[in-house]
Amino acid sequence: IMSPVLLKLSEKTTTNMICDLFQNSEDIRCKCICPPYRDIEGQIYKQNVSLKDCNCLHVVEPMPVDGKDVEAYCLRCECKYEERSSGTIKVTIIMYLSILGLLLLYMVYLTLLEPILKRRLFGHSQLIQNDDDVGDQQPFANAHNVLSHSHSRPNMLNKVEHAQQRWRRQVQEQRKSVFDRHVVLS
Amino acid sequence: MDTSGFRTGSLDSLHHPSDVDDDDEMVDIAGATLDFSHTDDDPPLGSGDYEERGGSRAAGMNGNGPNKMVDPLEDPLPGLGTYEDFNTIDWVREKSKDRDRHREITNKSKESTVALLHSVSDAFSGWLLMLLVGLMAGALAGGIDIAAHWLTDLKEGLCLVGFWFNHEHCCWTSNETTFQERDRCPQWQSWAELITGTSEGAFAYIVNYLMYIVWALLFALLAVALVRAFAPYACGSGIPEIKTILSGFIIRGYLGKWTLIIKTITLVLAVSSGLSLGKEGPLVHVACCCANILCHLFTKYRKNEAKRREVLSAAAAVGVSVAFGAPIGGVLFSLEEVSYYFPLKTLWRSFFAALVAAFTLHSINPFGNSRLVLFYVEFHAPWHLVELVPFILLGIFGGLWGALFIRANIAWCRRRKSTRLGHYPVMEVLVVTALTAVLAYPNSYTRMSGAELIAELFNDCSLLDSSQLCGYKPPTNTSKTGVGNSLADRPAGEGLYTALWQLALALVFKMMITVITFGMKVPSGLFIPSMAVGAIAGRLLGVGMEQLAYYNHDSFIFKGWCSPGADCITPGLYAMVGAASCLGGVTRMTVSLVVIMFELTGGLEYIVPLMAATMTSKWVADALGREGIYEAHIRLNGYPFLEPKEEFGHSSLTVDVMRPRRSDPALAVLTQEGMTVGEVEALVESTRYSGFPVVVSQESQRLVGFVLRRDLLISIDNARKRQEGVVSASQVVFTEHAPAQADDGPPPLRLRGIVDLSPFTVTDHTPMDITVDIFRKLGLRQCLVTHNGRLLGIITKKDILKHMAQIANRDPDSILFN
């Protein structure tokens, strides 16, 4: 039971947060590059102004020349308006790093932890589960297997286990073709 | 003529395109004669009942009466009509399946509103799929760009304001950047500053160097470990395999979701590790994966391999479009380099998808300046006809480099395939990365990424630039400058001389390191490295020409058009032409390359120099070696790719190429009745052929049809399990009406439904070039050879490829797949 004021407030803060995430006020800028002029060094000026104010007179501060030279100086300066979205960058990088981290963890789990866990749970006798010589040379072999995998138990865990086993076998096949026998992908 | 009803829908609708609302005008049969007159056994169709329509052989199994019409929309036996891994699809069958389905939907749409809506949605599903492919590929490309930029800069330092900013974005708002040092700001700290606190001096340099190498090795190790553990198909460029897939080959898992995820993630890592590779080729693979995954949402594309390949052609266009920001160039690339068949419908749809992807990428805005690619060119300086001579020289250089690179790379890849070098892929990646990092760091032009290098080389120097490459002596009279800030030709200063010898070293380094980098077990493309090599060579030549023009402005070459004080030579243009010619020399692209480069520059002024250089480079490269890099890799891997553009110049007859040859055992055929299930199974198990012709009887050898091994095995398995009474002694019947038999015998197994009743045939005296033409144009996998109307032998695509290899004095056993 939230009072309408609180509700409106939380709504506003959420939209503000989303707005801040995706449109930072720092995300626009006008960049003016001014080449060397007479005895003045070249300079770069940046300010976050909007598109209509993006010209030499508004951005170049303090103006290094005075009076009648201002026009000649400003003629050589080049001003460009640029926009970016720092929220997109942040979200992309964090998503990328998290997916990378998850994949690395899964890889570590598959190569190191899973055999240890399996050995502890099922004992030594059933360790030889993964069929290393499934990679039948004949590609025609799996014509027989097409109809054979339809007896699935309704158990969810078994389905996941089954799918994972099938995926691992596929990856092993691929690894054999690419890395060992060098048949595909040189 | 009443034999016309026999043929499956494919040929029929080719001759009567007005019957079906179909704009697939791509197949043009020339010269093949197909004759189907039977005299006994089965009466010709048209005399009453017919049990199957069109090309669907999927249903009509045992127990169905001869009058049952088959609905092409029903689900057949699972597995029937699908293909084995590493096999070629049957284009004719797939296309006729699709035509039947379309005809069925159109006919049904007149019945009710629901069916009408269904037909409308079916027509629009293609466009919806293109929209989704464009969105997904554009989003992924934007993410890859942002992540790759950030990771590349991570090797040098870290941003304190927010670790997710790369160098340029870190200093975006800072006011401490100066004209000379545009990327120095206090928010960005290099590793030496973070670790030791100083940023100058030998110690800081060594710390930076070591951190660079450590990061590069770490990225490369992660990339190759992930590829090896999760998706071994994600390595390499992907374009040779996609070319083969589009010609009809099946590689299961090559365009799957794990390959997509791993390719995206490891592409970023591989590009950021400083290796000399690009991301354009892998982006094509990523786009095709997206298209393949999205095809599973639409029945029309999920079940039909030929329609799916249309979508994949469009996806290849999308890949190049997001890589270069060039939608038209992408479509032409797909047409010229990647696709095998390219109907007009695909042209329009590819363009739509490429535009959607470019628009998505534009709105993500990965570079913060509304450009889609880092090396966009913005100058429009004019060029003069005399400059065509150096442009053609650049073309010759590009052609020479292309031919040499292909030879060297193929030799290296062959060594990797056959010797012990191939047993240590992870070690190989690490060694190459270490070598690249150690040699690349000292030279600032090899330290920066390929795209940044190209951007700097394409840049035209003006007063606003302060880089080393623009280190000319200051103009003597500051008021006498050209239009805006463009400058007259000036003599070279100190900075430029340093830049020149650094660039020369970079050229040699890049030429050699790319040979061993392309083809490693990480995602690698070669557009950017080739363009970098060409751009360096072009810029060197351009600066040379500029200085020549400045110091010899009185000689007859330059007198007419290059007066002192005018801006006549633009080295940036030479860099662009050089990049195009090197890329053209390696990949042998023509039109698509010119259009991509012209879309990069945004203007038509430079089309003539680009075309001149590209044509020269292609001719020179073709004179030295016939194939581009992708065809060479296809040949290296032995994929069954029948080159659509090659001319077959040898004058042999079909009887010379067909099987069985004189020393081979006789053709393995099935008779239309009289064989038992046990005999059929024994025949199938004892041979490795993927299909068997069905004849009337062993004596007459008159052709009935062709049946595929996979369909046969699936049907027999299914019948043994599901149907009662089928045992090894049951008769297998391929005719329409089962023969009368004793009451105590087991019921017959009727398999007429899986026989292709219209196999393509040629006579034994058909010249091979017509046969090869038929294979190419129709996308056949096998063709039966008859002599005086009787079955003589069979000729498959593999036989043709082996024959072509033999003619070209190559090893015919290098063709590995069917």
Side-chain angles (χ1 to χ4, degrees):
Chain A
I1 309 165
M2 286 173 95
S3 82
V5 176
L6 266 177
L7 203 66
K8 233 193 190 119
L9 206 64
S10 66
E11 215 178 72
K12 218 177 214 175
T13 43
T14 342
T15 40
N16 270 350
M17 268 165 49
I18 295 177
C19 267
D20 274 341
L21 191 66
F22 286 113
Q23 190 151 28
N24 214 340
S25 61
E26 283 186 355
D27 278 347
I28 54 175
R29 75 171 178 184
C30 185
K31 178 171 163 185
C32 285
I33 307 181
C34 293
Y37 178 71
R38 297 217 186 128
D39 47 354
I40 305 175
E41 293 275 322
Q43 266 284 9
I44 297 188
Y45 299 92
K46 290 180 203 168
Q47 265 199 35
N48 48 351
V49 292
S50 62
L51 184 54
K52 61 178 173 52
D53 289 333
C54 185
N55 50 32
C56 175
L57 300 168
H58 280 99
V59 171
V60 176
E61 274 172 25
M63 186 65 72
V65 292
D66 43 37
K68 47 189 174 44
D69 280 342
V70 167
E71 201 175 313
Y73 187 68
C74 271
L75 259 180
R76 301 147 125 259
C77 286
E78 197 176 280
C79 291
K80 244 191 316 192
Y81 174 74
E82 286 173 356
E83 247 188 87
R84 73 169 178 184
S85 167
S86 54
T88 311
I89 297 177
K90 187 166 158 181
V91 164
T92 308
I93 300 289
I94 293 183
M95 245 173 32
Y96 178 80
L97 286 177
S98 30
I99 295 180
L100 182 63
L102 281 174
L103 283 174
L104 286 177
L105 283 177
Y106 192 37
M107 183 168 74
V108 166
Y109 166 70
L110 281 182
T111 47
L112 297 177
L113 295 181
E114 200 176 16
I116 301 179
L117 279 178
K118 273 217 168 93
R119 204 178 299 148
R120 288 230 182 108
L121 285 178
F122 293 116
H124 288 267
S125 56
Q126 290 192 10
L127 187 57
I128 323 296
Q129 281 252 18
N130 40 347
D131 4 331
D132 258 316
D133 44 345
V134 151
D136 199 0
Q137 295 274 2
Q138 280 200 37
F140 304 118
N142 60 22
H144 290 281
N145 297 339
V146 168
L147 289 176
S148 61
H149 61 66
S150 42
H151 311 292
S152 54
R153 282 156 268 165
N155 199 347
M156 191 58 174
L157 201 62
N158 271 335
K159 260 194 211 161
V160 169
E161 178 76 24
H162 189 69
Q164 202 205 22
Q165 284 292 358
R166 204 171 47 198
W167 172 69
R168 289 178 76 174
R169 228 178 313 148
Q170 260 175 9
V171 175
Q172 242 164 6
E173 267 300 306
Q174 287 178 11
R175 201 178 297 150
K176 278 212 181 85
S177 314
V178 176
F179 283 90
D180 300 333
R181 292 184 290 163
H182 289 280
V183 163
V184 198
L185 284 163
S186 59
Chain B
M1 69 175 194
D2 57 0
T3 51
S4 65
F6 256 132
R7 288 176 248 188
T8 61
S10 50
L11 278 179
D12 233 1
S13 34
L14 283 170
H15 289 294
H16 307 283
S18 53
D19 285 347
V20 186
D21 187 16
D22 201 346
D23 46 350
D24 288 2
E25 329 160 30
M26 55 162 204
V27 183
D28 180 32
I29 312 179
T33 50
L34 304 159
D35 184 47
F36 284 84
S37 52
H38 286 43
T39 53
D40 54 350
D41 299 281
D42 296 320
L45 288 182
S47 64
D49 47 14
Y50 58 100
E51 68 177 332
E52 43 197 6
R53 269 185 349 137
S56 72
R57 294 154 220 102
M61 294 292 298
N62 318 303
N64 288 337
N67 277 343
K68 174 158 170 117
M69 301 277 219
V70 169
D71 188 1
L73 294 181
E74 269 176 21
D75 275 340
L77 203 58
L80 212 54
T82 59
Y83 301 93
E84 299 274 354
D85 200 6
F86 296 123
N87 262 336
T88 316
I89 70 171
D90 188 346
W91 281 95
V92 176
R93 180 163 90 159
E94 298 295 313
K95 294 204 73 61
S96 64
K97 260 196 323 201
D98 181 62
R99 278 195 200 102
D100 293 335
R101 196 193 65 94
H102 183 86
R103 197 181 300 138
E104 190 63 32
I105 288 184
T106 319
N107 285 341
K108 267 203 184 141
S109 74
K110 305 179 181 107
E111 291 172 12
S112 69
T113 325
V114 169
L116 183 66
L117 284 176
H118 180 51
S119 93
V120 167
S121 81
D122 187 74
F124 273 105
S125 60
W127 291 97
L128 181 62
L129 179 60
M130 290 295 139
L131 179 71
L132 292 174
V133 167
L135 288 174
M136 188 169 170
L140 277 178
I144 290 175
D145 275 339
I146 295 178
H149 252 236
W150 177 70
L151 267 185
T152 313
D153 285 340
L154 190 63
K155 295 201 299 282
E156 295 177 15
L158 196 59
C159 186
L160 297 178
V161 186
F163 71 92
W164 54 85
F165 284 127
N166 62 8
H167 197 156
E168 187 194 341
H169 280 284
C170 198
C171 299
W172 215 67
T173 49
S174 140
N175 268 326
E176 276 94 5
T177 56
T178 64
F179 189 76
Q180 294 299 327
E181 311 211 333
R182 303 200 180 181
D183 46 6
R184 185 73 63 96
C185 67
Q187 290 96 348
W188 175 268
Q189 304 259 331
S190 69
W191 291 113
E193 282 174 357
L194 286 171
I195 297 178
T196 65
T198 60
S199 65
E200 304 292 329
F203 187 54
Y205 185 82
I206 293 181
V207 170
N208 271 331
Y209 202 161
L210 280 175
M211 286 304 290
Y212 184 89
I213 298 176
V214 164
W215 279 113
L217 284 174
L218 179 67
F219 291 155
L221 178 66
L222 283 179
V224 72
L226 283 174
V227 163
R228 188 158 201 283
F230 289 120
Y233 280 159
C235 59
S237 157
I239 294 189
E241 284 74 26
I242 289 180
K243 272 185 83 139
T244 321
I245 288 178
L246 282 177
S247 82
F249 198 52
I250 296 226
I251 306 180
R252 293 219 183 279
Y254 197 75
L255 300 173
K257 52 186 178 317
W258 273 102
T259 314
L260 174 65
I261 297 174
I262 296 296
K263 189 115 187 177
T264 313
I265 304 275
T266 50
L267 175 61
V268 173
L269 286 169
V271 166
S272 315
S273 70
L275 286 168
S276 171
L277 41 83
K279 57 178 174 27
E280 284 69 26
L283 270 179
V284 172
H285 189 180
V286 163
C288 286
C289 285
C290 293
N292 196 36
I293 291 172
L294 287 170
C295 272
H296 284 281
L297 298 175
F298 299 87
T299 324
K300 178 176 170 185
Y301 295 99
R302 182 176 64 230
K303 301 215 165 160
N304 195 305
E305 296 285 341
K307 294 296 275 181
R308 197 190 292 199
R309 275 152 179 79
E310 284 176 20
V311 178
L312 290 179
S313 291
V318 168
V320 173
S321 153
V322 292
F324 287 109
I328 308 178
V331 173
L332 286 172
F333 177 79
S334 173
L335 171 64
E336 185 182 3
E337 278 292 313
V338 178
S339 298
Y340 202 75
Y341 298 120
F342 202 83
L344 278 178
K345 183 162 62 171
T346 311
L347 189 69
W348 184 209
R349 290 191 182 181
S350 323
F351 190 51
F352 173 68
L355 275 182
V356 168
F359 181 70
T360 313
L361 189 59
H362 184 95
S363 47
I364 292 182
N365 196 4
F367 298 114
N369 52 2
S370 307
R371 293 271 168 257
L372 297 186
V373 101
L374 198 55
F375 39 88
Y376 195 83
V377 157
E378 286 176 300
F379 54 83
H380 294 279
W383 59 277
H384 193 265
L385 269 176
V386 171
E387 291 180 286
L388 273 180
V389 174
F391 291 149
I392 291 184
L393 278 177
L394 280 176
I396 296 176
F397 171 77
L400 285 173
W401 185 75
L404 282 173
F405 173 78
I406 293 176
R407 273 213 201 143
N409 187 251
I410 292 294
W412 185 258
C413 288
R414 188 167 289 134
R415 190 172 297 185
R416 197 186 285 138
K417 273 181 91 134
S418 41
T419 65
R420 287 181 39 174
L421 177 62
H423 293 308
Y424 306 104
V426 181
M427 189 55 61
E428 181 195 358
V429 169
L430 289 177
V431 165
V432 171
T433 311
L435 191 67
T436 313
V438 164
L439 290 177
Y441 188 82
N443 188 343
S444 68
Y445 290 108
T446 45
R447 192 191 311 166
M448 54 172 96
S449 72
E452 276 176 32
L453 174 63
I454 296 178
E456 186 153 332
L457 290 169
F458 280 5
N459 182 37
D460 187 23
C461 283
S462 65
L463 274 178
L464 302 172
D465 295 301
S466 64
S467 62
Q468 207 179 35
L469 201 53
C470 295
Y472 292 89
K473 290 209 183 86
T476 45
N477 200 342
T478 44
S479 60
K480 204 197 271 180
T481 56
V483 179
N485 276 319
S486 73
L487 287 175
D489 293 344
R490 296 163 290 167
E494 274 305 311
L496 188 54
Y497 282 127
T498 327
L500 285 180
W501 66 258
Q502 278 183 348
L503 277 177
L505 285 178
L507 180 65
V508 173
F509 171 70
K510 264 211 171 318
M511 287 207 286
M512 304 209 302
I513 203 87
T514 313
V515 171
I516 58 176
T517 310
F518 185 64
M520 280 202 304
K521 298 290 180 257
V522 287
S524 59
L526 56 50
F527 278 38
I528 293 266
S530 319
M531 287 176 75
V533 166
I536 297 178
R539 187 86 187 200
L540 289 173
L541 184 64
V543 169
M545 281 288 292
E546 191 185 33
Q547 298 303 302
L548 203 66
Y550 180 79
Y551 285 114
N552 299 324
H553 54 80
D554 279 336
S555 83
F556 69 98
I557 314 176
F558 299 106
K559 200 167 189 154
W561 56 286
C562 200
S563 48
D567 176 23
C568 21
I569 307 235
T570 323
L573 175 61
Y574 283 71
M576 214 164 65
V577 171
S581 64
C582 275
L583 186 55
V586 170
T587 58
R588 311 292 161 88
M589 282 159 49
T590 52
V591 183
S592 37
L593 180 60
V594 173
V595 174
I596 287 177
M597 297 305 287
F598 131 73
E599 277 184 293
L600 274 177
T601 64
L604 285 165
E605 299 101 349
Y606 303 133
I607 278 204
V608 175
L610 285 172
M611 272 199 64
T614 315
M615 284 195 320
T616 319
S617 106
K618 181 160 163 73
W619 285 336
V620 169
D622 273 344
L624 294 174
R626 288 251 48 196
E627 320 169 299
I629 184 87
Y630 300 127
E631 286 93 27
H633 272 272
I634 287 180
R635 180 81 54 71
L636 178 69
N637 284 321
Y639 297 139
F641 183 74
L642 193 55
E643 179 66 47
K645 306 172 206 158
E646 227 175 81
E647 290 291 327
F648 189 83
H650 207 249
S651 61
S652 28
L653 295 180
T654 309
V655 68
D656 302 325
V657 181
M658 72 169 196
R659 302 225 160 244
R661 305 272 171 86
R662 285 178 205 284
S663 53
D664 290 339
L667 192 60
V669 296
L670 301 172
T671 53
Q672 67 173 359
E673 54 193 13
M675 289 185 84
T676 62
V677 172
E679 282 171 3
V680 170
E681 274 180 332
L683 181 65
V684 166
E685 305 278 320
S686 65
T687 57
R688 293 184 55 176
Y689 306 134
S690 56
F692 300 92
V694 178
V695 294
V696 171
S697 63
Q698 287 282 358
E699 301 81 35
S700 70
Q701 292 279 326
R702 282 204 320 246
L703 188 60
V704 174
F706 193 81
V707 65
L708 290 177
R709 178 200 187 97
R710 186 175 161 90
D711 290 347
L712 203 55
L713 288 176
I714 289 177
S715 312
I716 292 182
D717 266 351
N718 176 60
R720 276 186 187 271
K721 290 191 175 92
R722 307 275 164 79
Q723 222 188 325
E724 42 177 282
V726 170
V727 292
S728 292
S730 306
Q731 295 275 329
V732 173
V733 164
F734 290 110
T735 54
E736 208 174 301
H737 303 286
Q741 56 175 20
D743 278 331
D744 54 347
L749 179 56
R750 303 173 64 155
L751 290 182
R752 184 150 169 111
I754 60 169
V755 177
D756 177 5
L757 292 170
S758 64
F760 287 97
T761 58
V762 290
T763 64
D764 52 337
H765 281 291
T766 312
M768 264 314 281
D769 27 0
I770 293 186
T771 313
V772 172
D773 220 15
I774 294 177
F775 267 81
R776 269 191 208 145
K777 292 199 165 127
L778 292 178
L780 295 184
R781 223 180 143 260
Q782 72 277 325
C783 190
L784 297 168
V785 183
T786 59
H787 172 77
N788 292 344
R790 296 173 44 155
L791 181 64
L792 189 60
I794 186 172
I795 182 169
T796 65
K797 198 172 180 184
K798 192 169 177 177
D799 295 328
I800 293 186
L801 288 168
K802 283 191 170 174
H803 181 66
M804 288 169 94
Q806 247 169 356
I807 290 179
N809 287 329
R810 284 191 315 263
D811 179 17
D813 287 330
S814 65
I815 313 290
L816 296 177
F817 299 99
N818 286 328

